[in-house]
Amino acid sequence: GNSVTQMEGPVTLSEEAFLTINCTYTATGYPSLFWYVQYPGEGLQLLLKATKADDKGSNKGFEATYRKETTSFHLEKGSVQVSDSAVYFCALSGAIIQGAQKLVFGQGTRLTINP
Amino acid sequence: DAGVTQSPTHLIKTRGQHVTLRCSPISGHKSVSWYQQVLGQGPQFIFQYYEKEERGRGNFPDRFSARQFPNYSSELNVNALLLGDSALYLCASSYQETQYFGPGTRLLVL
């Protein structure tokens, strides 16, 4: 079945450091890929997405490229801020089965940015 | 535009009780999904509804049920609550395969 594996956390960086959070997936067919962010005590916010191979999703300085050959969707940001501290989830949306399209999530990576 | 709304925000129940959680999707979205997020883990799919019909169900017992109303809002019901049902319950509405999440209902079962 479909699955997502994320880089184990927690990750702690200093402000303005470069960020990479690794995400690899296993899926049949051609899934869409997503990064969601969860701030303390809140629900999930869509950060970015890519729907086909070689697509690059970007938002708020974050980027991720859909790499079919390595089944990866790594999240990157060139210069992190304290406000980026949150839990980041990689997810895939697989084939529509009986009309349902569910998201399969990784376990999440907690990111803390120190000033 | 209003996002996905959920009620209540927090809930405390005791084992064996029943709970109903509510969700209103983004205007124009016809599909609603429910997820359970246990502390420290990623969300797990429970149900998806589209046009009032169940389109998919995750690996959850029959104690979990849901329905969708003509205005596309949805309810999640859980019967005979267990301690292990304590979690954040997230609702998401969908548009063109992208799911947008609400703030969640945090359920504590004592």
Side-chain angles (χ1 to χ4, degrees):
Chain A
N2 295 343
S3 66
V4 174
T5 302
Q6 276 183 245
M7 172 178 174
E8 293 239 357
V11 173
T12 302
L13 296 171
S14 297
E15 206 166 21
E16 299 184 4
F18 184 85
L19 169 71
T20 300
I21 300 178
N22 290 338
C23 171
T24 57
Y25 67 90
T26 301
T28 54
Y30 302 96
S32 295
L33 301 172
F34 303 84
W35 277 99
Y36 284 87
V37 58
Q38 187 173 36
Y39 297 100
E42 299 184 9
L44 275 70
Q45 296 180 24
L46 177 65
L47 183 58
L48 53 85
K49 68 177 183 180
T51 58
K52 61 182 187 297
D54 299 326
D55 266 2
K56 178 186 283 189
S58 61
N59 185 26
K60 300 181 181 178
F62 291 90
E63 293 183 340
T65 301
Y66 188 161
R67 302 284 188 202
K68 187 171 181 292
E69 64 276 12
T70 55
T71 61
S72 65
F73 193 54
H74 305 320
L75 182 67
E76 296 182 337
K77 186 175 184 182
S79 176
V80 293
Q81 306 299 314
V82 172
S83 56
D84 294 327
S85 297
V87 180
Y88 291 79
F89 291 95
C90 184
L92 69 80
S93 179
I96 297 175
I97 300 173
Q98 296 179 332
Q101 191 161 35
K102 68 175 185 179
L103 285 171
V104 175
F105 286 87
Q107 72 272 31
T109 302
R110 181 174 299 279
L111 173 66
T112 301
I113 307 300
N114 294 320
Chain B
D1 285 344
V4 177
T5 59
Q6 292 186 244
S7 63
T9 55
H10 295 82
L11 205 50
I12 299 175
K13 293 286 189 178
T14 56
R15 281 177 296 175
Q17 284 189 311
H18 162 270
V19 68
T20 298
L21 311 180
R22 295 177 175 84
C23 170
S24 291
I26 294 170
S27 177
H29 291 192
K30 299 181 180 180
S31 178
V32 169
S33 300
W34 287 94
Y35 292 80
Q36 180 195 63
Q37 186 182 16
V38 173
L39 195 62
Q41 297 182 19
Q44 297 292 316
F45 173 76
I46 311 176
F47 286 110
Q48 185 176 63
Y49 276 76
Y50 179 77
E51 293 277 16
K52 298 180 290 181
E53 290 188 5
E54 181 183 305
R55 293 300 184 94
R57 183 187 184 109
N59 189 23
F60 281 81
D62 291 343
R63 298 185 296 107
F64 288 76
S65 64
R67 56 180 176 166
Q68 187 177 31
F69 299 98
N71 66 354
Y72 305 112
S73 66
S74 177
E75 284 183 353
L76 175 69
N77 295 282
V78 187
N79 292 324
L81 285 166
L82 303 174
L83 296 179
D85 295 331
S86 295
L88 179 67
Y89 288 85
L90 294 163
C91 173
S93 70
S94 308
Y95 180 71
Q96 292 183 347
E97 88 172 286
T98 299
Q99 297 192 20
Y100 300 89
F101 285 82
T105 294
R106 192 165 297 280
L107 172 65
L108 177 61
V109 182
L110 301 176

